[in-house]
Every structure is written in structure tokens, then in C-alpha cells.
Amino acid sequence: MSHIVVIGYGMVGSRFVEDLTTADHAGEHLVTVLGDEACEPYNRVLLSDVVAGTRGLSAITLPAADHPRVTVQRGIAVRAIDRERRDVLLADDTRVPYDHLVLATGAAARIPTLPGLTGPDLPGGVHVLRSVDDAREIVAATLNARRAIVLGGGVLGLEVASGLARRDLAVTVVHPAGALMERQLDEAASRVVESTLRRSGVDQRVGVGAEEVVVEDGRLRHVRLTNGEVLAADLLVLSTGTLPCTGLAADAGLAVERGVVVDADLTTRDPRIHAIGDCAQPPGGASGLVAQGWEQARRLADLLTGRDPEGVHSGVGDVVRPKTPGVDIVTMGLCGTSHREDPALRVVRLSDPSAGRHLEVVVRDGLLVGATAIGAGRTGTELITAYTRRTPVPADPAHLLLPAAVPATPSTGRDSPSLVPDRATICRCNGVTKGDIRAGFDSGARTLEEIAETTRATTGCGGCTDAVCGIVDWLRAGDGPSPSDVGAGEEGFTQMKHEQDRAETRAS
């Protein structure tokens, strides 16, 4: 019997345990999980929804490990890894031996080096958003705050800013780069997002950084910007990136660069120790998306149990869709400025800032390899379909943008779930198809919570919740099964998918 110890019980650590027990048909592994938080695992991606007030904390809790060969210890601090003894030392001086050790320690919020933020603790009114406790503190702070600043205009920063605006705070995003979400958007796309955000109550200072956080009597008062402007604020949320938690690995003599260095099999220089999720640095680099961590969890579970990992993919890739109500943003693959110098690519753009719309498609060898869609939910949905399924695109890529110029027609009943084939992916984060949802329903899962537990649908970004609810309601109504080959071509179900993803966008 092999003993696997997992350090970290977040989204990736808990998924690894679930995947491992599912793959361990022979019952050859015992698992001990050491989590530093005292609570059950939860969906960190949805913390911005908690700040916005669109979800309660109970709604983001993930299923706890419930398996006879799994032991979970919560609220446990690990002091050290002893590679010679093959055990880990806990804060209470007890030791836990391992045959294989999995590091899923995640990442911590990065605190910028600024005057006013140099103490061991953050001043009153200054927060990060990385944990349930952080979300609670931010929500409590909004009760007495009128003006908020979000430092950092990446995906999380924009989600937090939109959430605070929903709570009727005057919000300003301060972002030093020349474009919001600069990893995904170029300056032209950012300008469209900026104008749309202003209409939804979120102001910005783009291309301007913070120079000082002015604190009086231990509490935030102002933020001084690099252009000399001083912004008054009652609440400051730092969204300036993350730092992988690599201390345990470094102290144990493992190779650490930005993250814990691992090979293609998620193994460190010590063949008994592996790393997955935000703390890991795989050969191709880390994307920062939870889908990559989930893919790593599944692959490592397969490798440790001897199951063939080939062909196992989450299906989400690098599609990014921030939860910013009123501002529909979708990016995927090559986007922003990442492809500007490649002459082998065909790039077509449609930009209409006055209408809050900006689209770009990037094509190589007849396939869509990247796209940006702002303010064009219907077209964004089609681009996601083409990108994730690698379907051939028209000879003239401009045809991919035509739906954005054609007004959507009112629904005529063609959006019934009966027209969606079972192979259509409903939950992109977890690769859950309509057929998977139907199978879960047929096995007795009747509520959204039961479907989520059975299939994992809605447990990622949560954007598919409305679509899943619609399918469950249709199944409850007994409208009859849809044959898996209904609408086998793309045209057979894109209308339903248009409406479904528009609902997903509104829900997210």
C-alpha cells in the first residue's frame, strides 16, 4: 500500500485527491491531505462573485473528500519536508511519512513595494482577495466605504472592480500597463473595455501606477499616483498578481525558479515529490488558470495509478471570460500583442468603439488559433466553439466576424435543449457535455447541487449555471430525450449555444 501525502487542499489539491481515488481501482493508495485553512475546500475563482454579492460563501464550497482511504487534516501548518526520512514535519512536531509527496500549495497575493505598505500587516482599509476570509473582510468594509480603488487591472482586478460597483461604491482601477488585461488585450481592445466600464460605474487610470499609499492613524486615506494625482479612498483592493508558495520546496533543496520546477510528468528533481497548480512551474510555463492545475491533477493521478493519461483533456484551454457584468469580454489563444510579429498568421479585426465592440480573429493553416471578442457575445460564443473544437474556418476569416454585424433574431423556439446534441460541451471548465448532465439526471441527480456533485458542472467559473439549470428543467419536464446525432453539424446547435452562452455571460 502506497501512502501519498498532499500538502494543500485548495481547488487543485482537492481535485487531485478526487481524481486519484477515482483512478485507483485496485485500492493501492492511502492519501493524507494537509490543508492550512480550517474550512472545506472552496472555489477561489468565485470569490469575486462573493464580493459582488451574486453568490454566498456556501455556494462556492467544493465537495469534501469522502473516501475510506483518504484522511484530511485541516488547519495544519507544515514546517518542513525531510527528503531523507521521506516525511513532512508539522507545526506540532509530529511527522507524516510519505511514499509520494504532492505539493499543491498554491500562490499568495503579491503585495507591491510601496510607501504605506511596508509593515508586516496591511493598514486598515487595504485588502487582497485570495481567501474566504479576504472576501468576508472586503464585503464588511463595503458597508462603510464610499470610494474604492482597485490596484491592478488584470482579470481579477476588473472582476473585483465590477463587484464593488454593484455595491454602489465609486470605483477607480489603477493600472500601470498601457492596456487593461494586458496579457490578453492590446491597447485598441483595452480602450473599448475602458469606455464600457465607465458606463457601468468603473473609472480607470490606465498607464498610471501607484506611488504611495497614504495612511493616517493606521488607516488608508489616499493613494498618490505616478502622475501626481491623489485619489481619496476608503477601500483599497490590491490585485497585483500572485507569488507561488515555494518555501517548503526551496528549503528542501528542490529546484525553484518562479515556481517549483517540474518536468512533463509533474515531478521535481526528487522522483518522490511532485508539484501541481499555482506553485508549479511546468516546462511550458504556468498560465495562471485553474484549468491548467486541474489538468495537472488529472494527469498526475493517472501517472501514479498507472492509468494511460493520453487523450485526457479538460477542453477549456486558455479561454478567458472575466465576470464583469455589462462588459462582455472573451479572449482565447493568441491575443493581445502576442502574435504581432508572425507573418504566417492571418489576422482580421473589426473595431467599433462607439458601439463598445471590438473583435479580432487569428488564423493559421485554416484553424482559429486566437481571438478577442468584446461586446459581441453571440460572435464570442461561435469563436469559442471554433477554437476549442478546432473546426476549420472559412477561406476568408472575415466571415467569422459577420455575426457581429447582423442583429440577433428573436428566439423562435429553436433554442430548445432538444436541439443540442449530447456531445455539446456545456461546462467548458470541466469538459461536461449535455450527455454527461443527462447521465447524471438519469442516475438520480435532480437538483443543480446534485448535478454539480455528479458531473462537476458549474464548479469552475460558474458561467454555465443558467445553461445547466435550463437542461435540468427540460429533463424534469419530461420533454423526451434528444438523439445524440441531432444537429451533428455545427449549424444544428449553434443557435442554442448562442443563447446559452449569452445566458452564461449574464449569469457570470
Side-chain angles (χ1 to χ4, degrees), residues 85-226:
R85 293 175 53 128
R86 285 217 310 256
D87 65 20
V88 296
L89 177 65
L90 307 185
D92 61 2
D93 291 330
T94 60
R95 292 179 177 271
V96 181
Y98 65 82
D99 294 301
H100 283 273
L101 177 65
V102 179
L103 302 177
T105 50
R110 177 183 172 272
I111 308 299
T113 303
L114 289 173
L117 299 180
T118 55
D121 300 314
L122 293 176
V126 181
H127 302 268
V128 298
L129 181 58
R130 194 66 190 168
S131 69
V132 163
D133 289 340
D134 295 334
R136 288 193 184 103
E137 291 173 1
I138 292 173
V139 171
T142 62
L143 299 178
N144 297 311
R146 293 181 297 117
R147 297 161 298 189
I149 294 174
V150 177
L151 186 55
V155 173
L156 178 61
L158 296 190
E159 290 183 348
V160 172
S162 296
L164 293 174
R166 287 176 61 98
R167 292 184 179 270
D168 296 327
L169 274 69
V171 184
T172 301
V173 174
V174 176
H175 191 59
L180 297 173
M181 289 176 54
E182 73 277 8
R183 293 180 64 179
Q184 293 87 18
L185 305 178
D186 60 17
E187 293 192 8
S190 177
R191 298 295 94 85
V192 175
V193 172
E194 291 163 33
S195 61
T196 309
L197 278 172
R198 288 191 186 96
R199 290 195 291 270
S200 67
V202 178
D203 199 5
Q204 314 99 37
R205 302 293 187 272
V206 180
V208 179
E211 189 172 76
E212 179 185 7
V213 176
V214 180
V215 177
E216 298 176 0
D217 299 323
R219 183 156 195 87
L220 166 74
R221 297 302 177 194
H222 304 86
V223 175
R224 191 183 309 279
L225 307 184
T226 53

Side-chain angles (χ1 to χ4, degrees), residues 118-415:
T118 55
D121 300 314
L122 293 176
V126 181
H127 302 268
V128 298
L129 181 58
R130 194 66 190 168
S131 69
V132 163
D133 289 340
D134 295 334
R136 288 193 184 103
E137 291 173 1
I138 292 173
V139 171
T142 62
L143 299 178
N144 297 311
R146 293 181 297 117
R147 297 161 298 189
I149 294 174
V150 177
L151 186 55
V155 173
L156 178 61
L158 296 190
E159 290 183 348
V160 172
S162 296
L164 293 174
R166 287 176 61 98
R167 292 184 179 270
D168 296 327
L169 274 69
V171 184
T172 301
V173 174
V174 176
H175 191 59
L180 297 173
M181 289 176 54
E182 73 277 8
R183 293 180 64 179
Q184 293 87 18
L185 305 178
D186 60 17
E187 293 192 8
S190 177
R191 298 295 94 85
V192 175
V193 172
E194 291 163 33
S195 61
T196 309
L197 278 172
R198 288 191 186 96
R199 290 195 291 270
S200 67
V202 178
D203 199 5
Q204 314 99 37
R205 302 293 187 272
V206 180
V208 179
E211 189 172 76
E212 179 185 7
V213 176
V214 180
V215 177
E216 298 176 0
D217 299 323
R219 183 156 195 87
L220 166 74
R221 297 302 177 194
H222 304 86
V223 175
R224 191 183 309 279
L225 307 184
T226 53
N227 64 358
E229 185 179 7
V230 177
L231 300 178
D234 312 296
L235 172 62
L236 172 63
V237 179
L238 305 175
S239 182
T240 50
T242 59
L243 295 173
C245 297
T246 60
L248 286 172
D251 291 345
L254 300 174
V256 171
E257 295 175 3
R258 172 168 171 76
V260 182
V261 178
V262 295
D263 61 20
D265 289 336
L266 294 316
T267 303
T268 68
R269 62 170 53 164
D270 184 330
R272 297 278 184 169
I273 302 180
H274 316 269
I276 55 178
D278 286 343
C279 72
Q281 182 179 316
S287 68
L289 301 176
V290 71
Q292 183 183 41
W294 281 347
E295 199 71 67
Q296 293 169 349
R298 185 178 300 182
R299 176 171 177 78
L300 182 58
D302 288 343
L303 290 169
L304 291 178
T305 57
R307 188 170 70 173
D308 182 6
E310 292 300 320
V312 179
H313 299 286
S314 66
V316 67
D318 50 3
V319 175
V320 176
R321 196 169 208 167
K323 299 184 291 297
T324 48
V327 188
D328 185 9
I329 307 170
V330 181
T331 69
M332 63 206 77
L334 297 178
C335 53
T337 60
S338 61
H339 58 279
R340 291 292 186 258
E341 306 302 322
D342 190 342
L345 300 174
R346 299 185 66 184
V347 181
V348 181
R349 299 182 188 90
L350 169 64
S351 191
D352 185 3
S354 62
R357 182 172 54 188
H358 178 97
L359 295 105
E360 177 181 275
V361 294
V362 184
V363 174
R364 179 194 288 125
D365 298 330
L367 295 176
L368 186 69
V369 295
T372 301
I374 300 167
R378 182 165 65 114
T379 303
T381 296
E382 288 197 334
L383 293 175
I384 291 173
T385 300
Y387 177 70
T388 57
R389 296 179 184 166
R390 296 183 60 80
T391 54
V393 302
D396 183 356
H399 286 285
L400 293 169
L401 307 184
L402 290 180
V406 179
T409 57
S411 173
T412 58
R414 294 180 299 161
D415 57 348

